[in-house]
């Protein structure tokens, strides 16, 4: 297994399935009375350039559930790459804690942390990808359908970091991935081209569409995310003119498989990208998905920080 958890693309299907199996097992163990303190004495540093509810709580509680501890470092405390170089931060923390989780703006920052760190580094989100979210997403799909291969996953909205990691994990594990997004809001070409041969090997079908209605035909999973991600606030007004046709509402859900589930990485801007009726309706799995962040994170932590 790798030293770090930076991007889904770095992992083989077998490694991803091992993480998934461990997450499912740790969830069962927790529900049955609590996890074993396998990370007793271990401390995870949490570096945040961007605020978060799910990432902060899931990593903090995940370490506690496994007997370890977490140390929160706010943006003002370290000023990643500003007050102090990333290389220096990585080397200082390497001698004081056992792992680093970083939630950053620029993907290069998490790569640089990993380069200079002698301890595991976890990508808690970057502008390019969100691999921890993808693990919780695929865990939710697996719990719902009892399989991943050949499940039809449709992402509706901006081709952002969440979409990239979802496409990567679908391609690795043989799920079919479709995205419908407006012109000028495609996923990075590099991400798509890298995934194509992986999808060909696993049998995953990839579809890149503009029409949200066409995209959800036969969809078993509809996934959406906020139209404006953190760091893009100046684009909000422009995006609010472009994205309304991509809203996940009752009409769109009705055009999918009758047993479709709806996912959203949260936070949701309700009645923008997703309506209240869908978010709180019978197809929604938003909150089981959010809770799975905790268990997917524990699998990553156990794998990287546990005794080898």
């Amino acid at each position: 297994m790798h030293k770090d958890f930076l991007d889904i693309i770095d992992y083989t299907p077998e490694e991803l399935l091992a993480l998934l199996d461990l997450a499912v097992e740790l969830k069962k163990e927790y529900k049955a009375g609590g996890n074993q303190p396998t990370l007793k004495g271990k401390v995870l540093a949490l570096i945040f350039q961007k605020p978060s509810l799910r990432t902060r709580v899931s990593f903090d509680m995940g370490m506690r559930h496994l007997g370890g501890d977490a140390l929160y470092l706010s943006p003002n405390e370290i000023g990643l790459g500003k007050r102090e170089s990333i290389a220096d931060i990585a080397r200082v923390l390497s001698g004081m804690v056992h792992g680093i989780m970083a939630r950053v703006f620029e993907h290069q920052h998490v790569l640089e942390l990993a380069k200079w760190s002698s301890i595991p580094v976890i990508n808690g989100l970057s502008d390019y990808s969100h691999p921890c979210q993808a693990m919780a997403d695929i865990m939710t799909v697996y719990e719902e359908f009892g399989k991943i291969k050949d499940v039809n996953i449709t992402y509706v909205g901006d081709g952002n970091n969440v979409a990239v990691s979802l496409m990567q994990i679908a391609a690795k594990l043989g799920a079919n991935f479709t995205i419908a997004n407006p012109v000028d809001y495609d996923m990075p070409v590099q991400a798509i081209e890298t995934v194509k041969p992986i999808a060909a090997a696993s049998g995953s079908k990839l579809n890149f569409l503009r029409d949200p209605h066409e995209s959800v035909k036969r969809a078993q999973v509809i996934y959406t995310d906020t139209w404006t991600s953190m760091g893009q606030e100046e684009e909000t007004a422009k995006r609010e003119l472009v994205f309304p046709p991509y809203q996940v509402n009752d009409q769109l859900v009705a055009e999918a498989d009758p047993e479709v589930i709806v996912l959203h990485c949260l936070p949701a801007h309700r009645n923008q990208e997703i309506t209240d009726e869908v978010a709180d309706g019978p197809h929604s799995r938003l909150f089981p998905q959010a809770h799975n962040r905790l268990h997917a994170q524990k699998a990553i932590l156990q794998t990287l920080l546990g005794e080898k």
Side-chain angles (χ1 to χ4, degrees), residues 147-207:
K147 66 174 188 174
I148 299 164
K149 189 164 177 59
D150 299 326
V151 173
N152 298 322
I153 301 173
T154 293
Y155 181 98
V156 179
D158 184 23
N160 63 11
N161 48 3
V162 170
V164 166
S165 290
L166 185 65
M167 175 181 68
Q168 289 174 341
I169 205 161
K172 288 273 186 179
L173 300 181
N176 300 318
F177 177 82
T178 298
I179 182 170
N181 60 273
V183 175
D184 297 329
Y185 296 95
D186 295 338
M187 280 189 289
V189 173
Q190 173 201 350
I192 295 171
E193 292 305 315
T194 305
V195 155
K196 281 180 178 178
I198 294 167
S202 72
S204 169
K205 297 181 180 69
L206 304 177
N207 298 291

Side-chain angles (χ1 to χ4, degrees), residues 2-233:
H2 307 262
K3 175 177 83 75
D4 308 304
F5 189 77
L6 304 178
D7 210 359
I8 293 295
I9 210 77
D10 300 334
Y11 281 74
T12 66
E14 293 74 23
E15 289 169 334
L16 292 169
L17 288 171
L19 282 171
L20 176 62
D21 288 343
L22 180 56
V24 169
E25 188 58 39
L26 288 169
K27 183 175 180 177
K28 284 181 186 170
E29 185 182 78
Y30 176 69
K31 298 278 188 185
N35 297 124
Q36 295 299 309
T38 53
L39 297 185
K40 185 177 182 180
K42 299 290 178 73
V43 179
L44 179 73
L46 306 175
I47 296 178
F48 282 85
Q49 286 186 325
K50 292 183 175 186
S52 170
L53 171 64
R54 280 148 298 279
T55 300
R56 167 90 187 264
V57 177
S58 60
F59 274 109
D60 193 322
M61 294 308 299
M63 286 298 291
R64 294 191 205 187
H65 286 185
L66 296 174
D69 205 350
L71 175 67
Y72 173 73
L73 298 166
S74 72
N76 294 335
E77 286 174 302
I78 58 174
L80 197 68
K82 294 178 181 176
R83 179 175 172 269
E84 193 168 355
S85 79
I86 294 171
D88 286 359
I89 290 168
R91 288 178 287 190
V92 168
L93 288 175
S94 290
M96 295 184 174
V97 298
H98 303 91
I100 300 168
M101 189 290 303
R103 184 175 171 90
V104 301
F105 285 100
E106 294 179 33
H107 190 66
Q108 187 58 39
H109 287 176
V110 79
L111 296 180
E112 196 170 342
L113 271 173
K115 175 184 174 182
W116 290 101
S117 168
S118 60
I119 56 176
V121 173
I122 299 168
N123 177 5
L125 174 142
S126 71
D127 59 356
Y128 179 69
S129 64
H130 198 351
C132 292
Q133 181 67 52
M135 287 303 305
D137 299 339
I138 213 68
M139 181 178 178
T140 310
V141 170
Y142 176 73
E143 288 180 333
E144 186 71 28
F145 298 103
K147 66 174 188 174
I148 299 164
K149 189 164 177 59
D150 299 326
V151 173
N152 298 322
I153 301 173
T154 293
Y155 181 98
V156 179
D158 184 23
N160 63 11
N161 48 3
V162 170
V164 166
S165 290
L166 185 65
M167 175 181 68
Q168 289 174 341
I169 205 161
K172 288 273 186 179
L173 300 181
N176 300 318
F177 177 82
T178 298
I179 182 170
N181 60 273
V183 175
D184 297 329
Y185 296 95
D186 295 338
M187 280 189 289
V189 173
Q190 173 201 350
I192 295 171
E193 292 305 315
T194 305
V195 155
K196 281 180 178 178
I198 294 167
S202 72
S204 169
K205 297 181 180 69
L206 304 177
N207 298 291
F208 303 94
L209 306 175
R210 298 288 179 219
D211 183 352
H213 299 281
E214 183 184 352
S215 77
V216 299
K217 291 176 182 175
R218 297 180 296 281
Q220 295 165 279
V221 180
I222 297 175
Y223 197 125
T224 192
D225 189 9
T226 177
W227 295 339
T228 306
S229 298
M230 283 179 283
Q232 300 172 335
E233 285 78 11

